[in-house]
């Protein structure tokens, strides 16, 4: 019997709201109030998010972030900074005790990302999982050299045409897995590079040369221009296929909406949270 999950399509939202809703869905699922969830969302304004442990003031150029009118928020998940602009962001909320869910982060990522793999294939793209093999590759993953999230593929990273297209991060709280990540539709590489601090011009140049091989958008690979709407269709179908589930559209109740807004204002809009490292 196929399991029914909730499907939440939030559209463009405030960056703090996006993170608050992901956390709220995790909490409600842990309480048994809702089934597992697939959520899609976008960002208004375009936003730079940083991983939970990232040293924001060290890694980021906040003068440039403000000049460009970008939002800024710290994620509850790990990983490095991501510029959310021309993309569809997804989140998966599911119990660690879900049937056949692997216990390790790496293996769980592989299972949950099967929906992403199917989504790219639904868009006619040749997608596969990258598994590091050599000692050098494994060492590079263990010691990422850059603050830029798309700089290095991680274990079982999704690859299309040999290039990384979806950056994902995972956390586990209250017995629940939250995995979320960016599905790049287009990418402004110059803007991305401009919001990071580099120790010198040579380091910036090296990153500029490497980035096209590490971070690539769907529209730089697809023969036809792909829209957000087409991605929503391809990846919602992909998750149903990849996870063997059905998706039921879900709208938050007024009480749930108030809970999210309270969490947004008290936590994800606070300097204490966003600049904690």
């Amino acid at each position: 019997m196929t399991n029914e999950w909730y499907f939440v399509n939030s559209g463009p939202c405030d960056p703090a709201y996006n993170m608050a809703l992901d956390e709220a869905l995790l909490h409600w699922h842990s309480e048994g109030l809702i089934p597992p969830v697939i959520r899609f969302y976008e960002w208004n304004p375009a936003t730079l998010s940083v991983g939970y442990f990232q040293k924001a003031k060290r890694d980021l150029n906040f003068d440039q972030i403000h000049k460009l009118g970008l939002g800024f928020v710290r994620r509850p998940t790990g990983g490095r900074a991501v510029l959310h602009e021309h993309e569809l962001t997804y989140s998966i909320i599911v119990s660690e005790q879900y049937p056949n869910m692997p216990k390790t982060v790496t293996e769980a990522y592989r299972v949950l990302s099967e929906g992403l793999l199917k989504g790219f294939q639904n868009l006619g793209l040749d997608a596969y999982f990258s598994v590091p093999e050599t000692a050098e590759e494994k060492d590079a993953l263990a010691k990422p050299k850059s603050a830029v999230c798309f700089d290095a593929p991680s274990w079982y990273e999704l690859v299309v045409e040999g290039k990384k297209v979806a950056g994902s991060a995972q956390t586990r709280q209250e017995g629940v897995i939250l995995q979320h990540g960016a599905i790049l539709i287009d990418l402004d590489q110059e803007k991305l590079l401009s919001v990071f601090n580099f120790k010198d011009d040579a380091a910036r140049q090296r990153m500029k040369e490497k980035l096209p091989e590490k971070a690539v958008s769907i529209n730089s690979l697809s023969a036809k221009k792909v829209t957000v709407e087409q991605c929503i269709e391809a990846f919602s179908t992909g998750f149903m296929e990849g996870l063997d589930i059905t998706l039921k559209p879900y709208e938050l109740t007024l009480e749930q909406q108030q809970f999210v807004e309270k969490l947004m204002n008290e936590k994800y809009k606070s300097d204490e949270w966003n600049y904690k490292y």
Side-chain angles (χ1 to χ4, degrees):
M1 180 178 171
T2 302
N3 289 301
E4 184 177 83
W5 292 28
Y6 278 172
F7 175 60
V8 178
N9 182 14
S10 305
C13 298
D14 178 274
Y17 180 89
N18 276 334
M19 295 300 91
L21 181 49
D22 273 359
E23 181 177 326
L25 291 168
L26 181 154
H27 176 69
W28 297 329
H29 184 48
S30 77
E31 296 288 307
L33 300 174
I34 59 173
V37 181
I38 299 291
R39 177 182 171 226
F40 291 156
Y41 52 100
E42 300 155 68
W43 304 74
N44 183 25
T47 295
L48 201 74
S49 76
V50 293
Y52 180 80
F53 294 106
Q54 189 167 5
K55 293 179 171 61
K57 292 180 180 178
R58 179 195 68 184
D59 292 340
L60 304 179
N61 182 339
F62 279 95
D63 288 342
Q64 180 69 359
I65 290 170
H66 295 146
K67 179 181 177 182
L68 294 172
L70 299 175
F72 172 72
V73 71
R74 184 175 296 276
R75 302 188 305 271
T77 52
R80 288 165 286 165
V82 181
L83 175 60
H84 305 281
E85 188 171 25
H86 309 294
E87 70 174 49
L88 177 66
T89 311
Y90 79 91
S91 59
I92 305 170
I93 294 92
V94 62
S95 170
E96 292 181 287
Q97 304 306 315
Y98 190 79
N100 300 317
M101 183 61 61
K103 299 303 181 187
T104 69
V105 172
T106 299
E107 293 296 332
Y109 173 84
R110 170 65 178 82
V111 169
L112 295 175
S113 296
E114 189 70 30
L116 296 173
L117 179 73
K118 296 289 187 183
F120 287 115
Q121 292 172 345
N122 288 341
L123 291 173
L125 298 171
D126 180 22
Y128 59 92
F129 287 109
S130 168
V131 181
E133 297 173 352
T134 69
E136 183 181 13
E137 287 175 335
K138 292 177 181 179
D139 186 59
L141 295 179
K143 301 173 183 175
K145 299 178 178 66
S146 160
V148 186
C149 183
F150 293 103
D151 177 32
S154 57
W155 289 89
Y156 293 123
E157 199 63 75
L158 266 169
V159 174
V160 176
E161 306 288 335
K163 299 175 182 179
K164 179 178 175 182
V165 291
S168 300
Q170 195 181 105
T171 188
R172 294 172 182 233
Q173 301 174 28
E174 303 177 42
V176 174
I177 299 168
L178 164 62
Q179 179 174 306
H180 55 195
I183 300 166
L184 287 174
I185 300 174
D186 286 296
L187 176 64
D188 186 336
Q189 294 183 1
E190 284 300 322
K191 181 183 286 188
L192 175 62
L193 287 168
S194 76
V195 297
F196 289 94
N197 292 324
F198 295 93
K199 64 179 182 180
D200 52 38
D201 289 341
R204 186 184 190 281
Q205 185 60 31
R206 284 194 299 272
M207 180 55 55
K208 184 176 182 179
E209 291 168 358
K210 286 169 56 181
L211 198 56
E213 295 301 315
K214 302 290 186 179
V216 67
S217 65
I218 290 172
N219 278 335
S220 68
L221 297 174
S222 177
K224 296 181 180 178
K225 187 172 178 64
V226 174
T227 64
V228 169
E229 290 73 21
Q230 288 170 319
C231 282
I232 291 170
E233 173 66 26
F235 285 93
S236 59
T237 302
F239 279 117
M240 287 191 284
E241 295 168 341
L243 300 179
D244 191 24
I245 59 175
T246 58
L247 291 177
K248 178 182 179 180
Y250 182 73
E251 299 282 342
L252 268 62
T253 66
L254 178 60
E255 185 180 8
Q256 288 174 329
Q257 189 68 36
Q258 291 170 341
F259 180 93
V260 175
E261 290 174 1
K262 185 173 187 290
L263 183 61
M264 171 185 73
N265 288 320
E266 293 181 357
K267 180 174 181 178
Y268 289 102
K269 281 188 176 291
S270 73
D271 287 351
E272 182 181 6
W273 168 264
N274 287 319
Y275 300 98
K276 65 192 300 180
Y277 297 117

